Amino acid sequence: MPELSMCNELLAAEGRGLAEQCEIAAALGYMGLEIAPATLGEAPDRLSPQRVAEIARTLADHGLRVTGLHWLLAPFPALSITEPAAAAQTRDTLLRLTDLCAGLGGAVMVHGSPGQRVPPAGEAPERTLARVAELFRPVAAHAGAAGITYCIEPLSPAETPFINRVAEGAALAGAVGDPAFRTMIDTSAAGVAEAEPVAELIARWLPTGMIGHVQANDTNRGAPGTGADPFPAIVAALRRAGWARPVAVEPFTTCISGPVTFALGAATLRTAWEAAA
């Protein structure tokens, strides 16, 4: 079974501090946290080296590690990857967040942030893609030098009109032209946006090498097991494809409580993995 990482913003929203998040993750058998930078303070891209080391040490004291970062631009509402006037400031912030990820020992960055990727009205899609690729090239190079995989996350059309399907994420990755920049599969978004079942999507795309990360959640926005999504088939597809990197559990809604939600998600994925054997 691939290791499971816990996306931390749901627990943070319950008022649980980093140490308590770690206690819960360790008790449930998660191996680490995938951190939303906004949970680290108002200016997470400017944390001191001492604070970064303290965060990493807190996880290590619980036998965990930081697997990566996601919701990258949530703390920065004025930034955008698609707005030309914000490009330079957005790029510089992403470079600093890459340094944060590296300082924490993370290996993946997930670029979702739907509110900050709305194309300018009337702009041709190919022009938007070219400009965004240009913005990401130095970020990808910086990430690659730090051993980090930077992933553009396809999101549902209800969240953003830009990059909704894995094929579109792969097209952006091709335009960036750096092996450190890839796309990824969020099972909730894919279940809404893709024409084919998520299991078939996994079987088709994982062998291409374009998938740098997997997040697991139900199309009801809850943890695996809280809805009707076919996680036995999804997990079996991951197993057949030989996926061995961490899988991040990312619920947005709570079932009873945060700890119960993550317990159900982990149990669902582990049971499906064993059944696929």
Side-chain angles (χ1 to χ4, degrees), residues 212-229:
H213 189 49
V214 173
Q215 289 176 334
N217 38 30
D218 196 279
T219 50
N220 69 2
R221 306 285 281 172
T226 63
D229 286 14

Side-chain angles (χ1 to χ4, degrees), residues 3-257:
E3 296 175 307
L4 297 181
S5 183
M6 177 184 286
C7 293
N8 78 319
E9 66 270 22
L10 189 70
L11 295 180
E14 293 183 333
R16 304 177 191 271
L18 183 63
E20 187 178 3
Q21 295 169 29
C22 291
E23 291 171 3
I24 293 167
L28 295 176
Y30 286 82
M31 46 67 69
L33 297 182
E34 185 174 298
I35 292 178
T39 65
L40 302 179
E42 293 184 359
D45 60 323
R46 298 185 184 275
L47 296 178
S48 68
Q50 293 78 13
R51 176 58 180 148
V52 173
E54 179 185 339
I55 293 167
R57 186 164 55 250
T58 298
L59 272 83
D61 288 346
H62 290 84
L64 306 173
R65 69 178 190 267
V66 173
T67 57
L69 304 180
H70 66 283
W71 279 105
L72 302 178
L73 294 183
F76 312 101
L79 301 185
S80 171
I81 62 171
T82 50
E83 175 55 51
Q89 188 178 0
T90 302
R91 178 202 62 220
D92 292 346
T93 300
L94 292 175
L95 290 171
R96 291 192 296 271
L97 287 174
T98 302
D99 290 336
L100 171 64
C101 187
L104 292 171
V108 66
M109 295 175 69
V110 179
H111 195 113
S113 304
Q116 292 133 309
R117 57 195 249 192
V118 179
E123 182 171 74
E126 58 270 19
R127 175 58 183 154
T128 304
L129 187 76
R131 283 194 304 97
V132 173
E134 183 178 358
L135 181 150
F136 274 132
R137 284 190 191 104
V139 179
H142 198 59
I148 293 169
T149 299
Y150 196 106
C151 298
I152 185 70
E153 180 179 12
L155 295 171
S156 77
E159 297 177 275
T160 177
F162 184 65
I163 309 294
N164 302 127
R165 299 172 60 245
V166 170
E168 295 166 353
L172 177 58
V176 172
D178 190 308
F181 192 98
R182 305 184 199 179
T183 190
M184 51 88 65
I185 292 176
D186 175 290
T187 63
S188 176
V192 172
E194 301 283 352
E196 62 190 313
V198 175
E200 294 179 16
L201 187 77
I202 289 169
R204 183 158 65 92
W205 279 101
L206 258 64
T208 69
M210 294 298 295
I211 304 301
H213 189 49
V214 173
Q215 289 176 334
N217 38 30
D218 196 279
T219 50
N220 69 2
R221 306 285 281 172
T226 63
D229 286 14
F231 276 96
I234 291 169
V235 173
L238 287 173
R239 182 163 187 155
R240 285 193 297 270
W243 184 260
R245 301 174 190 169
V247 172
V249 178
E250 188 189 28
F252 295 97
T253 61
T254 300
C255 176
I256 301 176
S257 69

